[in-house]
Every structure is written in structure tokens, then in C-alpha cells.
Amino acid sequence: MAKKIYVYLFVFCTIFGLWTMPVRAAEPHQVGKFGDWTSYVLTEKGSKVCYMVSKPVKAEGKYTNRGEIFALITHRPSENTKDVFSYITGYTYKQGSDATVTIDGTRYMLFTQEDTAWAPDASADARLAKAIQKGSKMVVRGTSRYGTLTTDTYSLKGSGSAYKSITKECGIR
């Protein structure tokens, strides 16, 4: 009987220990560096996520404190999504404000929430992804919760190759 209690206690402690183990975030693996863009892949919940990212070559605005700034395009084949454009601005956007992306003279609207901006739908994502691959310069403008206007300028050098690498890595057609 005592042996049985120890076995049950061992099983309980093992299962409880597994349930309470911290979940580790997937570590991204760099696929390649292409001009001013870098491509990555990671596994999230057993599925591949492929993305390309860049930082601005110039960030302007009358701000005193601003966090990291990134533009990304992400593929998540397990969710049937591709070309998802997101913009992490390094500050909290003004509530209800939009941001804009201008690529070689063509303007695109983004909606904002907290510190991130996105294209409004999959069609806009696809147009942005195509423009980024073929363009030479991208400018993103937004307004912080304090009313500070920011203008971030990106080089699109290498974006086409970075896009090809994430598309190949995630098996997107």
C-alpha cells in the first residue's frame, strides 16, 4: 500500500511539474541578411513562422524617449496567412489615429493599436508586400499618444531577396 502511494505521489509530482514548467518562446533562426533586411524563421506551436524585418535608416520626431522601431512582413502558413505587414513604432500611438506608409510616392493607410500598426486587410498586405519588394524607399508616419509626429525612413535595398527567402523557407507559392 505504501509503495502504491509513493508511485501515485511520483506520478502526480511529475505531471504537476510538467504543467508548471515555463513555456519557452521559440527562438528565431536567421535565414539570411539581404541589404537592409534580414529574414528569420521560428517554430511556434509546432508550425513555421517566417518573417523579414528592417529598422529605419532615419527616425525623426520631437520625442525624448522612443523604443525599438521595426517594419515586418510575416508568413504563417499554418494559419493560411502571408504577406502580413506590421509596424512596431517604439511608442504608443494616439488612440484612434492612423499611420501612413509611403513607398516611392504611393501612400497606404494603416490602423494602429498601442505600439503597432497594420494594413487593414489581406489585400492591402499583398499590395504593401509587393511594393516593398520592388521599391527603393519607404516612409512611415504616425502620431504618438502625446501628439508627437514621427517620420521613419527605410531603405528597401535587399527586401526582394529577403521576401524570396521567407517565401521559400515557409513553402509559400
Side-chain angles (χ1 to χ4, degrees):
M1 178 72 176
K3 186 176 180 181
K4 233 180 186 180
I5 291 173
Y6 287 122
V7 169
Y8 286 130
L9 187 58
F10 173 77
V11 170
F12 173 78
C13 289
T14 302
I15 291 171
F16 183 75
L18 290 174
W19 281 340
T20 60
M21 285 177 64
V23 177
R24 294 180 51 154
E27 292 292 322
H29 167 74
Q30 183 175 320
V31 176
K33 174 85 172 126
F34 307 93
D36 294 313
W37 291 77
T38 306
S39 59
Y40 294 92
V41 63
L42 61 87
T43 302
E44 189 176 80
K45 298 178 186 173
S47 300
K48 272 188 176 182
V49 176
C50 304
Y51 64 96
M52 56 188 267
V53 62
S54 185
K55 290 185 172 189
V57 293
K58 184 165 59 168
E60 300 173 281
K62 293 183 180 182
Y63 48 85
T64 56
N65 189 20
R66 190 171 181 192
E68 297 277 349
I69 311 163
F70 299 101
L72 301 99
I73 294 177
T74 305
H75 297 328
R76 292 177 186 270
S78 68
E79 297 176 12
N80 292 320
T81 63
K82 67 176 188 173
D83 298 341
V84 176
F85 179 83
S86 57
Y87 192 73
I88 300 169
T89 195
Y91 60 75
T92 301
Y93 281 107
K94 181 177 181 178
Q95 192 169 10
S97 69
D98 292 326
T100 61
V101 176
T102 304
I103 300 172
D104 296 340
T106 302
R107 188 172 169 198
Y108 304 86
M109 295 299 294
L110 306 175
F111 73 91
T112 66
Q113 183 178 359
E114 299 193 17
D115 69 341
T116 307
W118 295 274
D121 55 42
S123 175
D125 278 329
R127 286 190 306 274
L128 263 170
K130 189 174 186 176
I132 288 169
Q133 292 173 69
K134 296 184 181 304
S136 61
K137 179 176 145 183
M138 177 171 77
V139 177
V140 182
R141 290 185 174 85
T143 305
S144 79
R145 67 179 168 197
Y146 301 114
T148 305
L149 178 65
T150 59
T151 302
D152 303 323
T153 303
Y154 285 79
S155 162
L156 298 179
K157 180 181 177 189
S159 59
S161 296
Y163 183 85
K164 287 176 188 167
S165 76
I166 65 171
T167 300
K168 180 180 177 184
E169 185 68 34
C170 267
I172 304 290
R173 295 177 193 182

